[in-house]
Amino acid sequence: MLTPPPRGFLLTEFEQRLARAQACMRELELDAVLLTTEAEVRYFTGFLTQFWESPTRPWFVVLPLDGKPIAVIPGIGAAGMSATWVDDIRTWSSPRPDDDGISLVAEALKEQVGRFGRLGASLGAESVLRMPAQDFDTLRTRMGNAEFVDSAIMMHRLRYVKSPAEIAKIHYVCDLTSAAFEALPDSLVMGESERENCRRLRIDLLARGADNSSYVVAGSGPGGYDNIIMGPTD
């Protein structure tokens, strides 16, 4: 079995990520950046929860131009966020359709607006807000003259350059997956369905140390397969 790298990241990893982000924010003249997706929130805080699967809970993190991230999250996530390096955690009882955290996040952003009057949010290519469009409209209105600008490209550039610690984790899971595929011919059973054979592959991946295998594609049939994006069938 492969030796897994340590779980999570050291505090210095998050400090370096934030420092790089704040340097970019100064170049782009942003007072703060609003984070709303799992990938971005986890990248800057280390907050990991399966509750992202619920579409009824918005999660917000504000990256200020100076200082540590500010979490504005549903109360159910307070204990988990307090286990990260984030100190400023503001919560509300969610879901609350009439004001699902918008007042709190507006207050947090207003505290940061000053030098440039500009706020970043992932609005461009390959990005989603993960909040109701009308809530974002409300947030824009509450921010008055402060302008929201696209920070998606900035985030892509920050996250695409991997640290040694990130590379070690990617290396481990790629080696793990390669080993599972090398062993695959010994586990495939002719006559059984794609679904049954994929289940065995998933079990093998988990047994080797993977946390999850959410994207496994299978294709078979006379003359080969006709797609590379669909899951296994019967």
Side-chain angles (χ1 to χ4, degrees), residues 46-219:
F47 181 67
L48 174 60
T49 174
Q50 296 179 68
F51 212 56
W52 284 101
E53 297 294 335
S54 170
T56 66
R57 299 296 194 279
W59 305 80
F60 307 104
V61 167
V62 174
L63 295 186
L65 190 59
D66 298 293
K68 294 172 62 174
I70 302 165
V72 183
I73 62 174
I76 197 170
M81 186 63 78
S82 65
T84 72
W85 76 304
V86 177
D87 300 320
D88 191 344
I89 303 170
R90 311 177 189 188
T91 67
W92 79 97
S93 181
S94 179
R96 191 170 63 194
D98 58 323
D99 185 358
D100 220 7
I102 298 304
S103 293
L104 280 178
V105 78
E107 179 183 340
L109 288 170
K110 285 179 180 179
E111 292 170 3
Q112 307 304 321
V113 174
R115 187 181 306 180
F116 304 118
R118 285 159 49 94
L119 302 166
S122 289
L123 306 174
E126 299 184 12
S127 62
V128 294
L129 275 174
R130 205 184 182 279
M131 61 188 294
Q134 64 183 17
D135 280 5
F136 187 61
D137 286 342
T138 298
L139 181 60
R140 274 180 158 165
T141 299
R142 293 194 179 188
M143 295 312 300
N145 293 327
E147 176 189 10
F148 273 100
V149 299
D150 181 31
S151 59
I153 298 301
M154 182 192 89
M155 284 297 164
H156 294 335
R157 289 173 176 168
L158 287 169
R159 290 178 47 221
Y160 288 174
V161 179
K162 303 303 182 184
S163 69
E166 288 176 297
I167 291 171
K169 296 178 191 299
I170 295 169
H171 195 292
Y172 167 73
V173 79
C174 286
D175 279 349
L176 179 155
T177 305
S178 293
F181 272 100
E182 287 175 358
L184 186 59
D186 295 329
S187 69
L188 292 175
V189 178
M190 185 68 70
E192 291 196 354
S193 69
E194 296 168 357
R195 200 180 306 278
E196 290 168 316
N197 280 287
C198 278
R199 184 180 298 117
R200 273 194 295 273
L201 174 60
R202 280 197 167 99
I203 290 171
D204 187 25
L205 288 165
L206 294 174
R208 291 174 186 273
D211 289 336
N212 196 9
S213 59
S214 59
Y215 189 84
V216 177
V217 173

